[in-house]
Amino acid sequence: MRIVVQEAPFDFGAEAQDFASGHTDMGAIVTFTGVVRDIAGDRLDRMVIEHYPGMTEKALEGIAEEAVSRWNLGDVLVIHRYGDLRPGDMIMMVATAAPHRKDAFEAAEYLMDYLKSRAPFWKQEFTSDGGKWVAAKDEDEDALSRW
Amino acid sequence: MTITVLYFAWVRERIGLPRETVETEAATVADLVAELCTGEERYAAAFADLSALRVALDQELSDFDAPLEGVREVAFFPPMTGG
């Protein structure tokens, strides 16, 4: 299990390749990457992600440990950036390795659902009108109930 | 007791600082909020709607009824938007 919280960009290809290599007993690798998306109407200049150093790492570790206890997983990777990002930049990635794909897919979805509303990150979008904090969506909170 | 209080995102902006050290005898988080709100107007503005806020005690999510005994760090912030 590897949890990384960093300001710098990450190399998705290299991370995925590294994560997928070296297992002989894991038949399924799932990766998900979140990308900064331009917003409808006004052009997004940049996104700034704030986080709570210390709690962020603990929360991500807790979420990953819970995934490992619920599904048959060989490995979990979570990388999440903070700081200044531009449209098209990769914000975060999760990867799961499991003997079979169902566990790998479900655990990746679980990780995404939980880190959206239980890891202490806050996004602020900047357009020509200035900065606006992204509001949490009810559907993101509702998504937790299915687990 | 001495508690470090942290603020994030728009809570930090409304209060105007990221952290402060508070000397308090507040029994619960809600008591601490009430105490902070007796100070400058910006506190009352930030804490106007507690349902829009989340709280963490020593870096674990908690709630406003939770006791503060033994707690060293309290953080207030809006619902999280990771991912």
Side-chain angles (χ1 to χ4, degrees):
Chain A
M1 193 169 100
R2 191 167 145 246
I3 308 292
V4 184
V5 180
Q6 65 181 34
E7 189 166 10
F10 57 89
D11 183 334
F12 173 70
E15 293 290 352
Q17 176 67 36
D18 188 48
F19 184 82
S21 305
H23 303 288
T24 53
D25 50 351
M26 296 295 132
I29 308 288
V30 164
T31 63
F32 171 87
T33 313
V35 178
V36 180
R37 180 165 53 92
D38 212 346
I39 46 180
D42 211 346
R43 208 177 66 82
L44 181 72
D45 292 326
R46 63 196 178 102
M47 171 183 277
V48 177
I49 300 179
E50 182 171 330
H51 81 118
Y52 183 172
M55 180 174 168
T56 308
E57 292 80 357
K58 272 191 219 171
L60 293 176
E61 277 163 23
I63 293 165
E65 277 163 13
E66 182 64 25
V68 168
S69 76
R70 288 188 186 210
W71 287 277
N72 182 13
L73 298 176
D75 201 3
V76 173
L77 167 67
V78 179
I79 302 176
H80 204 303
R81 295 179 63 194
Y82 60 88
D84 251 331
L85 293 101
R86 311 265 158 190
D89 285 355
M90 293 183 206
I91 304 173
M92 49 79 58
M93 71 174 285
V94 302
T96 53
H100 304 287
R101 71 175 187 274
K102 191 165 184 286
D103 288 291
F105 273 121
E106 282 185 10
E109 276 207 85
Y110 172 90
L111 290 168
M112 283 311 305
D113 281 349
Y114 267 82
L115 73 81
K116 262 194 120 61
S117 18
R118 290 293 182 274
F121 290 100
W122 299 276
K123 293 185 182 126
Q124 194 175 18
E125 291 174 334
F126 287 84
T127 65
S128 51
D129 288 338
K132 193 174 161 226
W133 291 100
V134 174
K137 296 192 193 86
D138 288 342
E139 67 205 55
D140 289 339
E141 194 61 34
D142 295 345
L144 304 187
S145 61
R146 71 177 164 133
W147 305 110
Chain B
M1 58 187 166
T2 307
I3 291 180
T4 303
V5 185
L6 307 179
Y7 309 107
F8 292 96
W10 58 255
V11 183
R12 171 179 55 71
E13 290 181 337
R14 275 186 208 177
I15 289 174
L17 72 173
R19 66 160 64 214
E20 61 185 320
T21 304
V22 174
E23 198 58 49
T24 180
E25 294 309 318
T28 66
V29 176
D31 293 342
L32 174 65
V33 169
E35 224 175 83
L36 290 168
C37 287
T38 62
E40 292 168 55
E41 174 59 28
R42 53 201 167 96
Y43 288 92
F47 290 112
D49 178 10
L50 290 188
S51 72
L53 293 180
R54 301 289 179 267
V55 59
L57 302 182
D58 289 331
Q59 307 192 348
E60 295 273 358
L61 272 180
S62 186
D63 54 67
F64 287 85
D65 298 330
L68 282 182
E69 199 185 343
V71 171
R72 293 159 61 181
E73 188 172 289
V74 178
F76 295 104
F77 42 78
M80 295 156 270
T81 51

